[in-house]
Amino acid sequence: MPGMNSGLNISDPTVVAAFKAALVHQGLIALLIFALVGLAWITIRAGLPAAVGAGAGPAPQAAAVAEPAWRRLLRVGFGLIWVFDGILQAQPKMAVGLPSQVIEPAAASSPPWVQHVVNWAGTTWSYHPMQAGASAVWIQVGIGIWLIVAARGPLSRLAGLVSVGWGLVVWVFGESFGGIFAPGLTWLFGAPGAALVYAVAGALIALPERAWRSRRLGQLTTAGTGLFLIGMAVLQAWPGRGFWQGISHGQPGTLAGMTGSMAQTPQPGFLSGWVNAFTTFDEAHGFAVNLFVVAALAVTGAVFLSGRPRLIGPVLIGFSVLCLADWVLIEDLGFLGGLGTDPNSMIPMVLLTAAGYLAVARAPAKAAEPASSPAAAASWRDRLRIAAAPATLASASIGSVAAIGAIGVIILGAAPMAAAQASPVADTILAQAIDGTSTPLDSPAPPFSLTDQHGRDVTLASLRGKVVLLTFLDPVCTTDCPLEAQEFRQAGQLLGADSRRVELVAIVANPVDYQLGYTQAFDRQEGLDGVPNWLFLTGSPAQLARVWRDYGIAAEIAPAGSMIAHSENAFVIDQQGHLRQEMGFDPGPGTAATQSSFAAELTDAAQQLLRQS
C-alpha cells in the first residue's frame, strides 16, 4: 500500500535524542555516586580518631609485596580498554543499530543454534534500545574504572571476576562466540574474539596473591598462548580456505575480500588508502602473504611454548609489530564507522602476551610473611563483610573508595537493563520514531452508525463510558493492515483487566456487497476472534465514505468497494466521546519490536485516560 514506511532508521533524530538524554541523565547520577561516596569517606575520616583516619590497620601489610608488573599491565591496560569500549557504546547509532547492524550480521554465517542464541539477545536489546544502550555504556565504563583504581585486595580481584562475567556475555551474544563456529575462522580477522581475551585477562587478575609470586603463572600463560598460536597457524595453512590465493576465479581471495570490504567503512582517507593498498598487494602476492603469516604464528607459538624469557623477549617484539600491522591493515582499527564496539582483538592480544612475558621474566621476589594478626588472617569474605564499618571506610585508600563508586556505576547501568528486560513490551520510542509523536486533541469525535461482525448496530454514543481505540482496516490488504490488526490485538492483551473499560474498534471496508462473513473470516485469520473487546464495523459505501471524510482518512476506493489505499491512523476517544489523540500508525515492514512498540503506545494512551476518570 502507498505510504508504507521503510522501518526504523538507526540515525533517527528522535531515537538519537532520547539515547543522548538517557546517557546525560545517567551520567549525572554517576557523578553523584562518586561525589556521595567521596563525601562519606571524607566525613567519616574527619569524625574518627587520627590513628584510625591515618590508615591504621592492614594497609602496611598490603604494601609488603608490590603488585607485579604483569598484573598491573593487565589491570590498567584492560581497564582502559573497557572504558574506551564504553565510550564507543555511546555513539548515536549504537542504540538501534547494534542488533541489526552488528549482532545479527556477526551470527549470520554461524550454525542455526548460534544464530538462535544471538538473535534472542538482539531481539531483547531491540525492544528496549535506549535502556540497553545506556546500560552497556555504564557497565563497561564502571568495569574499566574499577580495574584501574583497585590495585590490590579483594576489590581488585572481584573486579577481575566481574570483567570475566561481562566479557563472556559480550563474547557469546555480541561476538557470536567470537565466530569460532563459523566458516573462515582465522586469527587475522580477530579469532577467538576480543571479549574472550578480556575474560582471560580478568581471570588472571582475579587470581589470589600467592599465584603472583612465582614464574609458574607466566609460564602457563605463555604456554597457553603458544598452543593457541600454533593452532591458528595450522588453521591458516589449511588448504581450500581461500587464504593462499590473492585472487580466485577472478574474485578477491578470502583475505583480500575482507580487507576490501573494510576499506569501505567510513574513516579518514589515509586509513582507507592503506587498507586498499594492502588489498592490492595481497591480490598480487596472496601466497607469500599467507606463508609469512603462517610462519610468524608458528614460530611465535613455538617460542612462547618453550617458556624461555631470552627467546620470548625478541619474538614478542616481532609479534607485537605483526599484531599492530594486522590491526591497521586488516581489522582496520575495528572501531570506526559509527558502530564499532571495540578495537578488536590485536591490542588485547599484545597486552596478554606482554603480561605473560613479564610474569616469566620478572617474577617478584618472595617477601617475608608478615606477623599474623586477626586482620591478616581474615579471609577476603570477612574483609568484604567489614568493609562497610566506619573505621574500615575511614582507613581505606582513595583507590578503594573510587572502586566502590565504580561498582555503583555498574549497578546504575545494570539495574535499568534488568528492569527493562523484565517487560515484554517494547519501548514506545520506536513507534514515535517511525510515525512521530501523537497529536493531542480535545474535540467531539465524529459520530458513526455502523454494523459489527455480529450483525448488531453500533454507534459512537453506544460506546460511551469506555475508552475507544479506533483504526481503519481493509481485509483485502495483505501488507500493513494485518500488522495493525495484530498491534491492536496485542494492545487488548496488554490492557489486562482494564480491557473491560476499553473498546478496540476497526472500521473496515468490505468487498463485494459488504458481506459480513468476509470480515469474520479476516477476524479468524488474524487470530482476533478471541479478543472479546474487538469490534469490526462496516456499512454501505455512503456510510463508510462519510466516516472516512469525518476522520480525515484519505482513502482510494476500488470499483468493488474496498479500500486499495488509505492513510494509516489510530484515534483515541475518551469515555465522553471526545477525540484525545491522533497517532500515526504505519508499522511498515514490522519487526517484533516495532509492532510491540505500537501496541504499547496504544495501551499507554488508553490507560492514561482510565487513570484520569
Side-chain angles (χ1 to χ4, degrees):
M1 293 177 63
M4 181 174 174
N5 69 64
S6 58
L8 186 60
N9 188 330
I10 63 174
S11 299
D12 184 89
T14 301
V15 173
V16 170
F19 184 42
K20 288 181 178 178
L23 288 176
V24 170
H25 176 71
Q26 293 186 359
L28 293 175
I29 297 177
L31 291 175
L32 181 61
I33 289 172
F34 280 106
L36 290 176
V37 172
L39 181 62
W41 180 59
I42 294 171
T43 302
I44 295 175
R45 283 177 66 91
L48 289 176
V52 175
Q61 293 178 12
V65 180
E67 181 185 20
W70 70 265
R71 187 181 189 276
R72 184 166 56 251
L73 176 64
L74 288 180
R75 181 176 57 78
V76 176
F78 280 90
L80 291 172
I81 291 178
W82 274 122
V83 171
F84 181 64
D85 289 357
I87 294 172
L88 290 176
Q89 287 289 156
Q91 296 176 97
K93 297 179 182 179
M94 199 64 70
V96 172
L98 188 71
S100 60
Q101 304 296 315
V102 178
I103 294 178
E104 292 178 12
S109 58
S110 294
W113 70 269
V114 174
Q115 295 184 40
H116 178 75
V117 170
V118 172
N119 290 341
W120 170 83
T123 300
T124 301
W125 179 296
S126 67
Y127 267 57
H128 308 281
M130 306 304 107
Q131 297 91 330
S135 293
V137 170
W138 297 115
I139 289 173
Q140 295 181 172
V141 168
I143 291 174
I145 294 174
W146 189 359
L147 285 170
I148 292 169
V149 301
R152 301 297 295 271
L155 280 177
S156 182
R157 292 169 54 197
L158 187 58
L161 287 177
V162 173
S163 179
V164 171
W166 185 251
L168 291 177
V169 168
V170 175
W171 183 64
V172 172
F173 298 113
E175 296 183 350
S176 303
F177 297 90
I180 62 175
F181 299 109
L185 180 69
T186 171
W187 175 83
L188 293 174
F189 296 169
L196 185 60
V197 184
Y198 293 13
V200 171
L204 292 172
I205 294 169
L207 291 174
E209 292 192 17
R210 62 178 177 273
W212 310 346
R213 298 172 185 165
S214 72
R215 290 184 173 86
R216 181 64 175 166
L217 184 59
Q219 291 168 344
L220 291 175
T221 302
T222 55
T225 305
L227 284 174
F228 166 73
L229 293 176
I230 290 173
M232 289 294 100
V234 172
L235 195 62
Q236 193 68 33
W238 204 270
R241 302 178 71 243
F243 288 103
W244 291 104
Q245 298 82 29
I247 294 180
S248 178
H249 304 292
Q251 299 295 322
T254 303
L255 179 56
M258 170 68 173
T259 55
S261 65
M262 293 301 295
Q264 307 307 312
T265 301
Q267 60 189 301
F270 72 91
L271 281 176
S272 61
W274 291 353
V275 177
N276 278 321
F278 177 78
T279 301
T280 302
F281 181 82
D282 184 68
E283 288 177 344
H285 308 285
F287 186 89
V289 169
N290 201 55
L291 180 62
F292 174 79
V293 172
V294 170
L297 292 176
V299 169
T300 303
V303 171
F304 280 13
L305 196 58
S306 73
R308 301 173 64 181
R310 290 185 179 180
L311 294 178
I312 294 176
V315 170
L316 175 61
I317 295 174
F319 179 68
S320 298
V321 172
L322 176 62
C323 288
L324 292 176
D326 184 280
W327 184 50
V328 174
L329 299 177
I330 297 176
E331 294 183 345
D332 198 17
L333 304 187
F335 58 84
L336 301 174
L339 286 169
T341 58
D342 57 68
N344 218 312
S345 63
M346 290 302 151
I347 299 301
M349 187 71 67
V350 170
L351 287 174
L352 186 62
T353 53
Y357 167 72
L358 291 176
V360 171
R362 299 170 57 184
K366 291 185 179 181
E369 292 293 333
S372 62
S373 67
S379 68
W380 67 271
R381 293 183 181 87
D382 294 332
R383 282 179 279 170
L384 280 179
R385 179 176 54 79
I386 65 174
T392 304
L393 181 59
S395 63
S397 67
I398 186 65
S400 297
V401 174
I404 295 173
I407 294 171
V409 171
I410 294 173
I411 296 173
L412 171 69
M417 178 181 283
Q421 303 318 312
S423 170
V425 184
D427 195 324
T428 57
I429 191 68
L430 303 179
Q432 294 167 11
I434 291 175
D435 281 332
T437 56
S438 62
T439 303
L441 302 169
D442 191 5
S443 60
F448 53 76
S449 179
L450 300 169
T451 304
D452 71 7
Q453 66 266 42
H454 306 293
R456 300 172 302 194
D457 292 334
V458 175
T459 65
L460 180 60
S462 68
L463 301 177
R464 291 283 177 86
K466 292 186 175 183
V467 173
V468 175
L469 301 179
L470 173 69
T471 192
F472 295 82
L473 301 178
D474 179 10
V476 177
C477 167
T478 59
T479 52
D480 282 9
C481 288
L483 293 178
E484 293 165 9
Q486 286 300 317
E487 286 149 11
F488 262 67
R489 177 178 185 270
Q490 186 176 2
Q493 294 171 333
L494 294 175
L495 284 166
D498 288 335
S499 63
R500 292 173 297 179
R501 297 188 290 163
V502 179
E503 204 71 57
L504 308 178
V505 177
I507 295 179
V508 183
N510 270 321
V512 180
D513 296 330
Y514 306 96
Q515 295 172 353
L516 199 57
Y518 193 96
T519 302
Q520 293 170 336
F522 180 76
D523 192 359
R524 291 191 298 271
Q525 171 188 332
E526 299 304 325
L528 302 172
D529 48 342
V531 181
N533 58 337
W534 178 263
L535 288 178
F536 271 153
L537 304 182
T538 190
S540 67
Q543 290 175 309
L544 292 171
R546 182 167 58 252
V547 176
W548 293 333
R549 182 186 66 247
D550 291 345
Y551 280 87
I553 301 298
E556 186 178 340
I557 312 303
S562 64
M563 291 188 291
I564 59 174
H566 64 93
S567 53
E568 280 113 357
N569 299 84
F571 298 89
V572 182
I573 303 173
D574 67 16
Q575 299 92 321
Q576 289 74 43
H578 281 70
L579 280 174
R580 301 301 296 270
Q581 289 188 54
E582 179 180 356
M583 302 175 181
F585 209 65
D586 181 7
T591 65
T594 58
Q595 292 179 47
S596 177
S597 180
F598 278 100
E601 189 176 28
L602 283 170
T603 304
D604 288 351
Q607 290 179 332
Q608 183 178 357
L609 291 178
L610 292 175
R611 286 193 296 268
Q612 293 174 0
S613 62

